[in-house]
Every structure is written in structure tokens, then in C-alpha cells.
Amino acid sequence: MSGDYLEERLGALLGRLATPGRGPGGGSAAALTIALAAGTIRMVARSGAGSWDEAGGLAAQADAIAERAGELAAADAEAWDAALAALREAEGEQGEDA
């Protein structure tokens, strides 16, 4: 099940990450980690907006990084699903040859 991991509840996502087979792969997990880090940076930058001139620029960059990381997580999920489907197909073909 590929999809928008950013819309999923954290506990469910972590549970799926720990299971074999379909679910987020390592690439998606890494991208989501980057999105979380960017979210933390946005929080800090926005809270310092009154006292730090570059806070707005940093928050904007963090927004862009978080958005791109979400896109990469979704792309990785699609690639992971396609790879698993190809492996299942190959296994099925080997079973037919036996």
C-alpha cells in the first residue's frame, strides 16, 4: 500500500515500518526522518521570527525541504511496491518452471 505517509498516524506508520513486505521501505523512512527534522527547524525558525532576521527565510527553506521529502517518500513507496510485485511475479514464474 503506497500512499501519503505524511497523512498516516505515527504509531501505525512505525508499526508498518517494522513489518516485512509491503509498507514503507528504508528510503521512505529516511525521507520521513528528513521531513520531521525540517518540521522541527520550521518550529524553531517561526518561534524566533521576532528576534532573528533570517528566521523567515529558514522557515521557507524548511517548508520546501519538508514538501520535497514527502514527495520522495511517496516515490520510494511506489518503487518499493513495484519491486515487491516484480519479485512476487518472478517467484511465481520460478514455481511454474519447477
Side-chain angles (χ1 to χ4, degrees):
M1 171 182 144
S2 65
D4 189 355
Y5 294 134
L6 295 177
E7 297 299 321
E8 197 166 329
R9 294 183 62 82
L10 183 58
L13 178 64
L14 292 173
R16 286 183 9 156
L17 182 62
T19 61
R22 296 186 72 155
S28 293
L32 292 170
T33 300
I34 291 168
L36 286 169
T40 303
I41 292 168
R42 284 186 292 195
M43 176 186 63
V44 170
R46 289 185 176 137
S47 67
S51 61
W52 183 29
D53 292 339
E54 291 85 15
L58 179 61
Q61 290 177 11
D63 282 339
I65 290 169
E67 182 176 335
R68 182 64 179 138
E71 293 167 358
L72 290 172
D76 181 75
E78 291 175 19
W80 180 244
D81 284 348
L84 288 176
L87 287 171
R88 282 191 295 274
E89 184 178 319
E91 288 171 357
E93 290 173 1
Q94 288 177 352
E96 293 171 6
D97 293 340

